[in-house]
Amino acid sequence: MSVPSVTLCDNVKMPVLGYGTWQAKDDELEQAVEAALEAGYRHIDTAHVYENEKVIGKVLSKWFSSGKLKRQDIFLVTKLPPGGNRPESVPKYLKRSLELLQVEYVDLYLVHVPFGFKDVEGDLHPRTPEGLIDMDTETDHVALWKAMEAQVDAGLTKAIGISNFNKNQIEKILENARIPPCNLQVELHAYLQQKDLVEFCKKNKIVVTAYSPLGSPGLAKFMAQFGRTIDLPDILNNPVVQTIATKHKKTEAQIVLRHAIQKDIVVIPKSTNPKRLRENISIFDFRLDDSEMKQLNDLDQGLRILNFMIFQGIQNHPEYPFKAEIGKL
Ligand SMILES: NC(=O)c1ccc[n+]([C@@H]2O[C@H](COP(=O)([O-])OP(=O)(O)OC[C@H]3O[C@@H](n4cnc5c(N)ncnc54)[C@H](OP(=O)(O)O)[C@@H]3O)[C@@H](O)[C@H]2O)c1
């Protein structure tokens, strides 16, 4: 299956469907990345905090050395961890990611979140307020962005972008950037369509990538590890989605992914199941009509699933991006 690409603002081509890898580790992920490459995925989304860059690097290096793929065939995305949200930490963390991924450059490097944590060696996931969340120092996005731009200058990433930033935070970067961000990765699915933010990004030539495009159905199991319960919406069992799926002889997952793609939004569904990951990439042989697009557009409820509250006290961080929604979260 061949996936069309979109041009990012600096002439870098990005496949509009990528392979998400959060919550997938080690042996399971190794086999899944193999299956994803076999299925035709050429865009892989990871992050330093996913702690799976090494496995992805292992599979990619096998494919590169066997000649099955060249480095330039793959669009590789990774992200600066929150503990690295200060200028001096950016080169250190990008270098670590490159070593683990066994590549000389990534295609897109994203600032993972707008809030910064203290840089604690050996702890990428500070979950308690005691000292780990950098509450006192407002993360300086302008200085941070200059360090991101320096990584493009050094040839260590082709493009730079942000993730989980709100409109005000993006505006501040745009006003001060020499190399503007060309990608925003945010939670986006049928129940959280982020219409204003998407419109703002279009105006500013920022390509939007939808994370959790299926509504992250595996999240409840993941949260249970931390003793948390989460009330997850079941987007794939929504009757509107089901009816459209039946009509097109497609699955519900294929319908919601296609809906985002037709709105020029890049999607990065995660699956470690070979059948499902093949299903998720098979969405370029049909089209939703205007009425179906409208019915799916109307499912928007502004319902955010990932609010980072797993980090205790995060809503008090000066750069917490969803402050305006706090009453609703
Ligand atoms: N920037 C950020 O802060 C951020 C945050 C979250 C996610 N992300 C990125 O976005 C990617 C996707 O988001 P996500 O992992 O949260 O959620 P998602 O892609 O919406 O959903 C993944 C879940 O859906 C299941 N699934 C996959 N395909 C399916 C299908 N065809 N039918 C039914 N179930 C299916 C998967 O299970 P199986 O694996 O068992 O198939 C998994 O439990 C992540 O992997 C990560 O790369 C980024």
Side-chain angles (χ1 to χ4, degrees):
M1 182 64 65
S2 153
V3 175
S5 288
V6 61
T7 302
L8 294 181
C9 52
D10 31 16
N11 285 330
V12 179
K13 297 248 188 243
M14 178 192 210
V16 298
L17 180 136
Y19 182 63
T21 65
W22 182 41
Q23 299 172 38
K25 287 203 179 114
D26 305 332
D27 288 353
E28 176 199 44
L29 183 59
E30 188 172 337
Q31 287 176 15
V33 176
E34 288 276 357
L37 293 174
E38 294 287 358
Y41 287 83
R42 294 294 178 264
H43 164 178
I44 299 179
D45 182 80
T46 182
H48 194 59
V49 293
Y50 300 168
E51 297 182 284
N52 60 19
E53 290 168 310
K54 192 173 174 186
V55 176
I56 294 168
K58 185 179 166 194
V59 178
L60 286 178
S61 122
K62 201 175 110 191
W63 278 61
F64 295 150
S65 58
S66 71
K68 271 164 99 175
L69 277 180
K70 297 190 194 67
R71 171 66 189 89
Q72 59 268 33
D73 298 329
I74 290 289
F75 188 92
L76 192 52
V77 186
T78 195
K79 312 183 192 94
L80 179 71
N85 271 13
R86 56 194 58 71
E88 60 276 21
S89 301
V90 174
K92 174 179 87 174
Y93 280 109
L94 179 52
K95 185 165 172 273
R96 275 188 200 175
S97 288
L98 293 175
E99 281 168 8
L100 290 164
L101 290 164
Q102 301 188 49
V103 291
E104 292 186 349
Y105 67 91
V106 287
D107 296 274
L108 178 61
Y109 197 46
L110 300 176
V111 180
H112 201 148
V113 288
F115 45 82
F117 294 164
K118 285 183 181 158
D119 192 359
V120 180
E121 200 58 47
D123 188 359
L124 286 168
H125 309 279
R127 288 197 179 88
T128 58
E130 289 83 36
L132 288 183
I133 296 176
D134 204 348
M135 293 288 188
D136 303 331
T137 325
E138 191 165 342
T139 308
D140 180 351
H141 289 160
V142 174
L144 181 65
W145 195 252
K146 288 197 191 325
M148 291 291 285
E149 292 171 332
Q151 308 313 304
V152 180
D153 297 338
L156 301 177
T157 183
K158 299 265 182 209
I160 45 178
I162 59 253
S163 178
N164 298 301
F165 279 52
N166 65 28
K167 192 174 148 207
N168 290 343
Q169 291 167 327
I170 302 169
E171 264 169 347
K172 192 170 167 194
I173 292 192
L174 283 170
E175 279 160 17
N176 293 283
R178 174 170 59 86
I179 305 175
C182 59
N183 180 246
L184 171 70
Q185 185 178 122
V186 282
E187 178 181 336
L188 198 153
H189 42 70
Y191 289 178
L192 180 69
Q193 298 191 27
Q194 309 247 37
K195 289 170 188 162
D196 291 347
L197 190 58
V198 169
E199 191 56 34
F200 168 79
C201 285
K202 271 195 182 147
K203 277 194 192 128
N204 286 287
K205 299 189 169 57
I206 299 172
V207 172
V208 175
T209 300
Y211 77 62
S212 307
L214 305 172
S216 207
L219 193 63
K221 200 169 145 202
F222 178 76
M223 290 299 220
Q225 296 173 71
F226 310 106
R228 296 284 182 101
T229 49
I230 179 166
D231 197 11
L232 270 182
D234 193 351
I235 299 173
L236 302 183
N237 276 316
N238 180 291
V240 171
V241 179
Q242 286 178 326
T243 305
I244 298 174
T246 308
K247 191 177 146 203
H248 283 275
K249 297 193 174 59
K250 289 281 177 187
T251 66
E252 288 76 11
Q254 288 171 320
I255 297 301
V256 294
L257 294 173
R258 181 74 209 177
H259 175 230
I261 293 277
Q262 281 187 215
K263 293 197 293 178
D264 299 327
I265 290 164
V266 174
V267 288
I268 47 169
K270 172 264 173 189
S271 179
T272 41
N273 176 302
K275 182 173 170 287
R276 284 195 286 272
L277 67 84
R278 282 195 295 273
E279 175 186 319
N280 295 343
I281 199 176
S282 304
I283 57 167
F284 299 100
D285 55 357
F286 75 108
R287 237 192 124 66
L288 300 168
D289 66 24
D290 290 350
S291 148
E292 291 160 343
M293 287 299 286
K294 179 168 181 332
Q295 289 176 62
L296 292 163
N297 288 344
D298 289 347
L299 295 181
D300 192 13
Q301 311 171 10
L303 197 154
R304 189 178 297 283
I305 298 169
L306 277 167
N307 55 23
F308 300 102
M309 295 286 189
I310 194 162
F311 301 106
Q312 289 169 39
I314 193 66
Q315 66 275 24
N316 301 320
H317 193 288
E319 292 291 357
Y320 180 67
F322 314 133
K323 274 190 208 284
E325 296 172 24
I326 274 177
K328 294 198 280 165
L329 293 174

